[in-house]
Every structure is written in C-alpha cells, then in structure tokens.
Amino acid sequence: MSDSSGPPTVRTVADLRAAVATWRSAGETIALVPTMGALHEGHLSLVRAAHANASKVVATLFVNPTQFGENEDLSTYPRDEDRDRELFAQEKVDLLFAPAIAQMYGENDSTRIDVGELGTCLDGEYRPGFFVGVATVVAKLLLQSLPDVALFGEKDFQQLQVIRRMVSDLHIPVEIMGVPTVREADGLALSSRNAYLTPEEREAAPALYSVLNKIADAARSGGDLPAAIDDGMDELRAAGFSSVDYLTVRNADTFAVIDASTDLQRFPGRVLGAAHLGKARLIDNVKL
Ligand code: AMP
C-alpha cells in the first residue's frame, strides 16, 4: 500500500474502499480532505481540523481536469507529488488517495452534477463549467470514501456552498465543514496559484483582501455599498490588477445580491471578489 516515503498511499477506488472498510469495522471515524496538491498551510490547516473531528484522516491528491476550462491552466498547474507526500506525512495523514485520471473518469464516463444557480453565478459565470467539474469530482470522492466529515476551505467560499447544496440535495450522508482562510502576514490568502505572481505582483496582491475589508466596513457601518464597491474597483486597478471579474456583497446562503447595507440585518452577508493580476486570477472573501 505504501509508496517509498510519505503516508500510506492508494491509487485505486477498490484499495481506498478496502482501507476505509477495515477502519469502519474497527469503529474508527473518517475525515476526508480533498486537494489538488501544491500544498500550503491552508491545506495543512484542513488536515489539522480533520484530525480534530475524526480518528482517521484521508487526504486526496487529484488535479481534476473537468473543473478546468479550455483556456485555463490545467497543463501548467503546479505539481510536486514528492513534496506533497512529505507534508502529508508530517501532518500524520492516515491515508493518501492519489488516483490517475482514468481511475476517476472511466471509459465512457459522462455523468455530471449541476447544482444550478448557486454554481452559475460569480465564479460560475467567469469560469463556465467550473462548479459542474467541482461538484462531480467531490461527489465521486465522497461516494468512494464515505467519510463522516469532509473539510473545505472558506477561501473558496462559493465552492464550499456549492458542495453543501449538493450534499443536501443528493442526501449524501456526510457532514461538510468549512475551515477559515489561512493568510500571509500581509493578508494575502494562501493559494497554490500565488506561485504565478512575480515579486512585484506579489507585493500588489494583498490589495484584494484590503479592498474586501473596506467594503465589509462600509457594509457594517451602514454605508453606501455601490460607492464602496466602485472605490474598490479603482483601488485594485491602481494597484496593478488588469481586470476585476467581480467585487460584490451577497447573501452568504443564496448568493443573491445585497445592495443596501440595511438588508444585512435580515441576511447573512459575504463580500466576495475575483480579479486578475499578471498570470494569476485571485479570489478571496470576507464574512460580514
Ligand atoms: P485546492 O488544492 O486549491 O483545490 O484546495 C483544496 C482545499 O484547500 C479546498 O477546500 C480549498 O478551499 C482549501 N484551501 C485553499 N487555500 C486555502 C487557504 N488559504 N486557507 C484555507 N483553506 C484553503
């Protein structure tokens, strides 16, 4: 089962199921942490939260082709399995599932999961098909491992809500837990794609989090949201972002637009943003 270094590793669904079945019969509880690798502290915080919520932790390492659009970075996505294996071992991951594409998407594979509006707004609008790919691969991983709990980062807040919706709609018996975003000292949310930033862009990158916080402050103090958003757009462009896909205040459950701060007394709110800086598309969000 084990590759030479790193945690015990399986590469087929059959071996994954066998390992989990052995644990189940011994009364263990299982937490699942899906990742695409290129690990950073954000991923590792999910593993730590997983240990706190189950007796065995299964991590997955799979760069999922169905969530990448035609002009996106599937072929250049950062990959370093040896380093990832070492980090997972340090965090005492009990089992790593690292399948090949053919294991996840068999011959004639054609089933896709579409959660509807929750997955077609915001990132779903700018990355058509992205959440269909995410929901499909996460459903597969959940059904392959049947964990008690699965952990996802709030960094990808829309993804977290799409997965919650899917699990609820499909009656998949698993608890979905969100884990707070891990940030650099200057506020930039950790992301595997930050590796695309030049040193100059890296210096400009925290502007996204700073702008989201300014909009959040305006929302909390009953300020003018459209004006705060306009100022944020200007600030990002001035910092060197080439384009802003969205800066917006939404109902955190439905993603309906909130354009008056008074509405925030009635709905849970979230400020979300996505913007391009050099080769990277950065996303981030702040809770209200
Ligand atoms: P990825 O490998 O980018 O697909 O991410 C795997 C998981 O790590 C997802 O649940 C992400 O939301 C989560 N994640 C990514 N970045 C962070 C971060 N900075 N803080 C917390 N979780 C994160």
Side-chain angles (χ1 to χ4, degrees), residues 66-118:
T66 64
Q67 72 189 66
F68 287 78
E70 265 180 31
N71 300 317
E72 293 187 350
D73 55 347
L74 175 61
S75 63
T76 55
Y77 193 81
R79 292 165 215 244
D80 189 346
E81 184 174 322
D82 289 345
R83 179 178 168 276
D84 291 344
R85 294 173 50 71
E86 232 169 75
L87 289 169
F88 278 139
Q90 280 170 24
E91 295 298 329
K92 308 214 170 347
V93 161
D94 296 286
L95 185 71
L96 175 63
F97 178 47
I101 292 174
Q103 187 64 206
M104 293 297 285
Y105 295 97
E107 217 181 320
N108 301 327
D109 174 284
S110 65
T111 303
R112 295 291 177 267
I113 294 177
D114 181 345
V115 305
E117 174 61 18
L118 222 50

Side-chain angles (χ1 to χ4, degrees), residues 8-19:
T9 300
V10 290
R11 295 185 189 272
T12 67
V13 175
D15 285 348
L16 171 64
R17 286 195 199 281

Side-chain angles (χ1 to χ4, degrees), residues 34-37 40 42-43 45-46 67 77 151-156 159 179-183 189-192:
T35 83
M36 299 206 300
H40 50 63
H43 297 110
S45 77
L46 298 186
Q67 72 189 66
Y77 193 81
L151 297 98
F152 297 87
E154 288 184 0
K155 152 81 175 23
D156 302 288
Q159 168 172 285
V179 176
T181 303
V182 177
R183 300 180 180 282
L190 298 195
S191 164
S192 307

Side-chain angles (χ1 to χ4, degrees), residues 142-159:
L142 292 173
L143 294 170
Q144 290 160 351
S145 56
L146 295 176
D148 299 279
V149 56
L151 297 98
F152 297 87
E154 288 184 0
K155 152 81 175 23
D156 302 288
F157 187 73
Q158 188 178 6
Q159 168 172 285

Side-chain angles (χ1 to χ4, degrees), residues 219 225 251 257-269:
L225 291 185
N251 178 319
V257 177
I258 293 181
D259 42 25
S261 22
T262 44
D263 288 349
L264 290 162
Q265 287 149 14
R266 291 182 291 142
F267 306 113

Side-chain angles (χ1 to χ4, degrees), residues 89-254:
Q90 280 170 24
E91 295 298 329
K92 308 214 170 347
V93 161
D94 296 286
L95 185 71
L96 175 63
F97 178 47
I101 292 174
Q103 187 64 206
M104 293 297 285
Y105 295 97
E107 217 181 320
N108 301 327
D109 174 284
S110 65
T111 303
R112 295 291 177 267
I113 294 177
D114 181 345
V115 305
E117 174 61 18
L118 222 50
T120 51
C121 64
L122 300 170
D123 276 349
E125 185 185 336
Y126 290 92
R127 304 182 68 188
F130 171 64
F131 286 117
V132 170
V134 168
T136 302
V137 79
V138 171
K140 284 176 187 262
L141 292 169
L142 292 173
L143 294 170
Q144 290 160 351
S145 56
L146 295 176
D148 299 279
V149 56
L151 297 98
F152 297 87
E154 288 184 0
K155 152 81 175 23
D156 302 288
F157 187 73
Q158 188 178 6
Q159 168 172 285
L160 173 62
Q161 299 302 64
V162 161
I163 290 166
R164 286 192 203 281
R165 178 85 265 142
M166 172 187 76
V167 160
S168 168
D169 290 349
L170 298 184
H171 306 279
I172 300 177
V174 62
E175 180 188 352
I176 301 299
M177 284 185 73
V179 176
T181 303
V182 177
R183 300 180 180 282
E184 303 280 6
D186 60 10
L188 176 65
L190 298 195
S191 164
S192 307
R193 289 188 167 101
N194 292 349
Y196 299 153
L197 299 172
T198 64
E200 204 176 46
E201 289 158 0
R202 171 63 190 82
E203 248 181 64
L208 178 58
Y209 182 53
S210 145
V211 157
L212 293 175
N213 275 313
K214 285 182 192 169
I215 297 170
D217 286 344
R220 290 186 193 110
S221 63
D224 180 343
L225 291 185
I229 289 169
D230 278 351
D231 290 348
M233 295 271 185
D234 291 344
E235 194 173 328
L236 287 182
R237 289 192 197 102
F241 284 75
S242 56
S243 62
V244 182
D245 285 349
Y246 58 82
L247 272 183
T248 183
V249 182
R250 298 288 169 120
N251 178 319
D253 294 329
T254 63

